[in-house]
Amino acid sequence: MPAAFLNPLMLAAMAAVLIPLIIELLHRRRRRILHFPAMRYLLKSAQQKKVRLQDLILLVLRSVVVFVLVLALARPFLKAGSALWSGGRRDVVLVFDATYSAGQRAGATTAFEIGKKMADQVIRSVVRDPRVSVLTLGHRAELVAERSRDLAELRAQVESLRVSDGSARIGQVLELAADFLERQGIRAAELYVISDLQKTTWSKRPGESQDPAALLSRLAGKCRLFVLDTGGGERANCCLARFDPRERVAAVGVENVFDVRAEAAGTPPPEGPLRVSFYVDGQKRGEKQISLASGSAQVAFAHTFLESGERVLKAVVEGDSLPADNARYYLCRVPAAVRVLIFDEAAGQPAAESQSVHLQRAIAPRPWPGFDRFTVFETQVRAPAEAAREDLPAYAVVVLAGVRNLTAPFAARLDQYVREGGRLLIFPGEGLEPYAYNSALYQDGKGILPAEVEAPAAPAAPGKGAFLSLAPPLHPALAHFKGRERLEGGEVLRCLPVKANGAREGAARTVARLTDGRPAIIERRVGRGRTMMVCTAVDGRWSLLPFSRDFPVLMQELLRYLVGDPDGAVNLPVGGCFEQTVLLSAQHLVVAGPDGRKFRVTPVRSGDTQEWRLVFDQTDRQGLYRVDAIPEAMDRRQFAVNLVPEESDLARFDHGEFKARFGAGGLEILDSPAQVRKVSDELHSRKELSTGLLWTLLALLFIETYLAKRFGLRRV
Amino acid sequence: MNVEAEARRYFDPRVIARLKGLEVRARRVVEGHMLGLHKSPFRGLSVEFAEHRQYSPGDDLRRIDWRAYAKTDRYYVKQQEQETNLSCQFVLDCSESMSYRGAGPMSKFDYGAVLASSMAYLLLDQQDRVGLTLFDREVRASLPPKGTGGHYRTMLSAMEAVTPGPATMLGSALGKVAAQLKGRGMVAVISDFLDETAAVVHGLNRLSFDGHDILILHVADPWERQFPFTGPSIIHGMENSGRLVCDPSDLRGAYLQARAEHLEELRTACRQLQFDMRECATDEPFDEVLSAVLANRTRITHR
């Protein structure tokens, strides 16, 4: 049936059409009867007919007024498909808040699933000539479907949406929606924001320009706004805010400690002790209990890797209504040892001749029998002439210990090694040729040497030298020595002067100075690598530093600093970008996400180095991502993504608060699929006629009043 | 003439008492074979002394016979100049519309009947003759003019006995009256004149053509004059003149205008025909109405 009524029972009142007639008849009975002789003055025959006609017109008009009123109250509507339908094109925009708080449990399902059901109701109700667009907000705002007319496909698309692990703010997607509407020239649309009304999502980050309230007001000018409340709002939630190793450099056989920090969001905090579990490659390796009564708690798990390789570590706190933030991952590469290659011209010669004997012992002290390794580092000592046989990239750090001259090929290899991500540590020594170093490695600031070196002055007398200063501000490499003034027992008698100014690529940074102010350790980033130069020898001839009990610690700390965070590139936040050099070819690669999704990615050429790199930023899910590639193509083929715990506070707006804050432009809040269906049906598949009827009624009343006055007869 | 002893409906002694001394004078010269107040058309004829008549207040002092006074110490009028008596025919409308009583103390017919009877009494008192014609759609009753007390009573009885007729057809009734009248006299038409003006004027013309002195007394009820009705009403027209469902207040303006136009037509016609016309309402005192009418006629005839 093309038309029907929303209030069909009202049609029973159609009998009221007889009311004017009944009133007329009753009035006739109640009218005063006058017998009057001078009727001739009251009417001529034509006027009498005119009066009767006027009576009839008013009676009919009054009956029509009642008819139209009853009809309007019965709320007739036209259904889509009716010959009289002129519903017109409908633009419907669905905006999904898919931040990870939408994954919170709401009854037997999750808030996001409820939101999808609501969206499905809206799509089902859009019958004729629809244009439906879908935007989502995860770690960023995205346009998923643009004015789609294929509703079946759209429903499938919506069904396939998953809540992300992102925590972007709603302003991003509202701005995207507003720009989209402007770009498409859409002037009248319906916009449905499907959200759990979490306060964090609906707030504005400091520095962000997207104000949700202002954007909603802007949208209200173009759209009819609906906010579909998916529910939720557990009062308390527990999340893991941090999971990482204390030492970034790991190796087999060396104990590493992993810190886990849990925080409670909302009030009151979860009651009772909670269990935190520690997993390595899926195997549970530890469990501890924490209490979040104070709002947060930190525990540490120690673990010694027994085999080298890439390890997936995971920390989990026992569940609550939002499981997404109850786990964190850490991916670490565990080598058998962190290899350090020392170039010593006296390699193979007796220790007394060696420039690096102290250094070797400091970097990789031999454990006592029956004890575990002390350090993650292991050293290899080679003469510079053997450099051609060594695969420099296989070493985490290359050390030049008192190398006097550098051949051009050797210098070129070192240059390439550093620029491609290697770490170079340089110690001067007796007979060092400043000119050779400057021309081979400094190259007027274009090379890898942190600074131009000069000939060393004569050594100071013992007792007249300087010490390594540890005064603040302390460089991160020396953070271990915080609180001390200088390195005791390591008097420096002779130091290589350096000129730090003039470097063209990056600026040399002073890591430490001597107590007399001269630079003692300088560093510089070059390409993807780093170079550090200690301005005194470590063979014991220029300084007593090798004999200081802090010397091994100093060397370990400098090396750790140089090595940096080898796993930093493979442990990313949601929304972070994974980049890796592709070694073999530019053929596309497949990245598999933790939820089973696969992405086809084509490497891009890096602008400065002209090498191919895989760049992947669709990291909206927490978990482990894998690149389908052979080891020869890429060094690291796995990376872990962790969510940013901003959405863990599940506090949300109630409807009154929400409307007061964001409803200035006018919006309606619906909070159940049934309600959404009802409203959508009214908007899309039906066109109500009662508005037009009420206007008609008003016009009829105006006409009746005018005619009654004109005819000179009173209204019934 | 003494009718005080008999209580009659249309005879009000109080009215008569207030009209005492007034004369009904004809505007026109009238014929009559008895002595009356009215100028005779028969000039130059010798008249014989007929009798003395006792003086009545209002008689012309020149006609007093002083000799008789000297002798008798009473005033007598010497009827030396022949006086012609007047025949006055009262044409009274007894249609249904005349039976209407609104705000007035009596119906229009009753009012007209009292006017007619009062005037008739005066006429009889001055030795004139009176007659009566009752009409509606047609002549219902016709009493030729006579000058006796018994005839007066007959007139009263006729007026009392008549029942309202269905409709007014004044024009044709006046024509019939004209045919019945012998000799020129006075005709007093008492009606509400709710008829077509043309027909009325035609009838009056007929009377005028015959030389009669016409007196028009238009009787209306105060409600007919004011039309003060308000509120939802069903107005039934008398004499089957129609029915109207309305609020009379909405039609008042049109009614008064239509009535005024009709009366103006009537007045214009009367002016042209040199008829006396007096409009009176049933709430006006009879003596005032008749006094005004008679005084006006006296003034006119003394010019």
Side-chain angles (χ1 to χ4, degrees), chain A residues 102-283:
Chain A
Q104 62 180 296
R105 273 197 292 274
T109 178
T110 64
F112 192 71
E113 291 301 315
I114 292 174
K116 278 164 47 175
K117 277 202 185 85
M118 291 177 169
D120 192 60
Q121 292 294 343
V122 173
I123 296 170
R124 277 170 185 275
S125 69
V126 179
V127 176
R128 191 169 158 134
D129 202 14
R131 300 273 194 276
V132 182
S133 308
V134 178
L135 293 91
T136 60
L137 177 74
H139 65 285
R140 62 178 176 222
E142 287 183 354
L143 180 64
V144 173
E146 189 171 327
R147 302 189 91 188
S148 169
R149 299 172 73 169
D150 187 341
L151 296 182
E153 187 193 328
L154 199 69
R155 287 182 62 205
Q157 212 168 357
V158 166
E159 177 56 32
S160 69
L161 288 176
R162 295 286 178 266
V163 67
S164 78
D165 290 329
S167 56
R169 301 302 164 94
I170 200 77
Q172 286 187 28
V173 74
L174 292 179
E175 189 177 54
L176 181 64
D179 292 341
F180 168 71
L181 291 174
E182 269 182 32
R183 202 169 60 245
Q184 297 288 332
I186 298 169
R187 293 225 171 82
E190 293 151 28
L191 188 125
Y192 299 83
V193 181
I194 304 164
S195 169
D196 58 356
L197 306 190
Q198 192 207 16
K199 285 186 177 176
T200 309
T201 307
W202 282 87
S203 64
K204 196 173 85 161
R205 277 202 185 100
E208 268 185 358
S209 61
Q210 297 116 342
D211 176 31
L215 286 164
L216 281 177
S217 292
R218 181 177 154 198
L219 285 164
K222 293 185 181 54
C223 312
R224 191 159 165 193
L225 282 179
F226 297 91
V227 173
L228 308 188
D229 179 7
T230 58
E234 287 288 335
R235 296 189 66 187
N237 180 45
C238 167
C239 74
L240 287 185
R242 185 178 149 227
F243 173 47
D244 45 28
R246 280 189 202 165
E247 294 295 338
R248 299 286 169 178
V249 183
V252 169
V254 179
E255 186 182 83
N256 207 340
V257 176
F258 295 88
D259 292 315
V260 178
R261 181 180 170 80
E263 291 178 352
T267 52
E271 293 177 357
L274 298 174
R275 228 183 8 248
V276 178
S277 304
F278 174 70
Y279 296 84
V280 178
D281 289 336
Q283 301 284 327

Side-chain angles (χ1 to χ4, degrees), chain A residues 93-107:
Chain A
V93 180
L94 300 170
V95 175
F96 283 90
D97 172 3
T99 55
Y100 74 78
S101 63
Q104 62 180 296
R105 273 197 292 274

